[in-house]
């Protein structure tokens, strides 16, 4: 029997849902602060000019995971729709939102490539640390563009691969060993080109680096011991330039590149 990629991702992340709600890496960061600043500023401007002809702001948290984007967005929006393929993730988000009194967060199960919303339904689309799991990256971006209202804006955040092939290959190998539902960390150039093809214009681009603590990083995804050992073997035997670029520590911890892209529909 074959299993679709979407089902495989959902099955993989179901048992991990609570770990992503409590994950320090996912729960905080300058990228979340940037999202909240954009929301507050953009929302004030939207209320002033009312470009869309309706009051309030609808936000899509695309690939919501543990819901941290939704929690930040809720105080600035009329409604936040948290979308994910994993039912357990959505249950955890709904439970956490209720505990925090965030009554304007609703959840919906769907893959990024097939969103069950009308064209132009959302004023803002937010997408953080999920595109590297999509089966069809460009289809997901096209859907994000389709459901974004005229005059709206979107923010995409993800781990990215360095451009040199020797570094790119190392990253993809350790990522798929850590989590077999991983598809690809795209390069900045791949992101820029795909966004343009999907109908977005990049307004700003902010690179950052995150320190990934190896034990926490592998525990969060319940990486099998054999796979964790393989990652450590690859790290120990990597070329000097690879070790230097990722700043691989004695315990396997390393630096991971991330990218925040603020975009507008063309």
């Amino acid at each position: 029997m074959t299993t679709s990629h979407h089902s495989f991702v959902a099955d993989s992340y179901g048992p991990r849902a609570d770990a992503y709600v409590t994950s320090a890496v996912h729960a905080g960061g300058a990228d979340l602060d940037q999202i909240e600043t954009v929301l507050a500023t953009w929302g004030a401007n939207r209320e002033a000019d009312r470009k869309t002809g309706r009051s309030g702001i609808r936000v899509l948290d695309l690939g919501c995971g543990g819901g941290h984007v939704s929690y930040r967005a809720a105080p600035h929006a009329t409604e936040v729709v948290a979308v994910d393929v994993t039912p357990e993730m959505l249950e955890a988000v709904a439970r956490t939102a209720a505990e925090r009194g965030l009554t304007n967060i609703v959840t919906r199960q769907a893959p990024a490539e097939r969103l069950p919303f009308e064209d132009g339904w959302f004023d803002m689309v937010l997408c953080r640390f999920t595109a590297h799991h999509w089966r069809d990256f460009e289809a997901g971006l096209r859907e994000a563009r389709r459901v974004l209202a005229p005059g709206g804006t979107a923010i995409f955040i993800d781990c990215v691969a360095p451009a040199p092939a020797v570094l790119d290959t190392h990253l993809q190998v350790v990522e798929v060993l850590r989590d077999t539902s991983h598809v690809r960390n795209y390069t900045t150039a791949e992101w820029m080109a795909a966004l343009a093809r999907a109908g977005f214009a990049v307004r700003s681009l902010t690179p950052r680096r995150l320190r990934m603590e190896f034990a926490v990083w592998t525990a969060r995804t319940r990486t099998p011991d054999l796979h964790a050992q393989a990652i450590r073997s690859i790290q120990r035997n990597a070329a000097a330039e690879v070790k230097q670029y990722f700043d691989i520590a004695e315990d396997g911890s390393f630096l991971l590149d991330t990218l925040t892209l603020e975009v507008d529909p063309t």
Side-chain angles (χ1 to χ4, degrees):
M1 180 182 293
T2 59
T3 301
S4 73
H5 178 72
H6 296 138
S7 297
F8 183 58
V9 172
D11 291 344
S12 297
Y13 276 84
R16 310 168 184 170
D18 288 337
Y20 279 81
V21 173
T22 59
S23 167
V25 168
H26 292 80
D31 57 338
L32 280 177
D33 296 339
Q34 182 175 346
I35 282 176
E36 193 162 11
T37 297
V38 171
L39 265 166
T41 303
W42 188 86
N45 292 339
R46 227 304 293 280
E47 287 298 316
D49 60 32
R50 300 195 183 274
K51 288 180 180 177
T52 66
R54 65 171 183 258
S55 61
I57 300 171
R58 291 194 188 115
V59 173
L60 171 63
D61 181 2
L62 179 56
C64 65
H68 302 292
V69 167
S70 292
Y71 311 143
R72 288 290 192 104
H76 307 281
T78 304
E79 181 182 55
V80 178
V81 183
V83 171
D84 206 278
V85 296
T86 306
E88 293 87 346
M89 285 287 192
L90 297 173
E91 291 166 8
V93 171
R95 183 174 63 250
T96 305
E99 291 169 353
R100 299 184 183 189
L102 302 173
T103 58
N104 59 336
I105 295 176
V106 298
T107 60
R108 191 76 177 268
Q109 184 180 2
E113 300 91 340
R114 295 193 306 275
L115 295 176
F117 307 109
E118 298 175 12
D119 294 359
W121 186 250
F122 295 98
D123 303 295
M124 186 171 286
V125 173
L126 306 173
C127 179
R128 181 178 184 249
F129 296 147
T130 183
H132 58 274
H133 289 295
W134 296 351
R135 186 182 185 279
D136 190 330
F137 176 53
E138 298 213 14
L141 294 181
R142 289 193 299 271
E143 277 291 270
R145 173 64 183 87
R146 180 184 66 79
V147 301
L148 185 62
T153 195
I155 301 177
F156 295 93
I157 301 169
D158 208 3
C159 313
V160 292
V166 65
L167 303 177
D168 184 339
T169 297
H170 173 88
L171 179 62
Q172 309 302 340
V173 169
V174 299
E175 285 275 33
V176 80
L177 281 169
R178 181 238 185 184
D179 175 9
T180 53
S181 71
H182 174 79
V183 175
R184 175 167 175 76
N185 289 333
Y186 299 92
T187 65
T188 298
E190 288 172 327
W191 265 102
M192 298 287 284
L195 285 166
R197 288 191 290 270
F200 289 108
V202 176
R203 183 172 70 250
S204 76
L205 185 157
T206 307
R208 295 184 174 95
R209 305 198 86 188
L210 285 177
R211 190 75 185 170
M212 309 307 294
E213 299 299 329
F214 188 84
V216 176
W217 182 63
T218 52
R220 188 164 53 245
T221 50
R222 302 187 179 185
T223 304
D225 289 343
L226 184 62
H227 287 200
Q229 292 167 18
I231 295 171
R232 293 297 292 116
S233 177
I234 288 168
Q235 289 177 324
R236 283 191 293 267
N237 291 283
E241 66 178 295
V242 173
K243 293 179 180 179
Q244 181 178 5
Y245 182 84
F246 292 106
D247 193 23
I248 300 172
E250 195 65 32
D251 68 349
S253 300
F254 65 98
L255 286 174
L256 181 64
D257 293 307
T258 72
L259 189 66
T260 299
L261 301 116
E262 296 182 24
V263 304
D264 297 318
T266 56

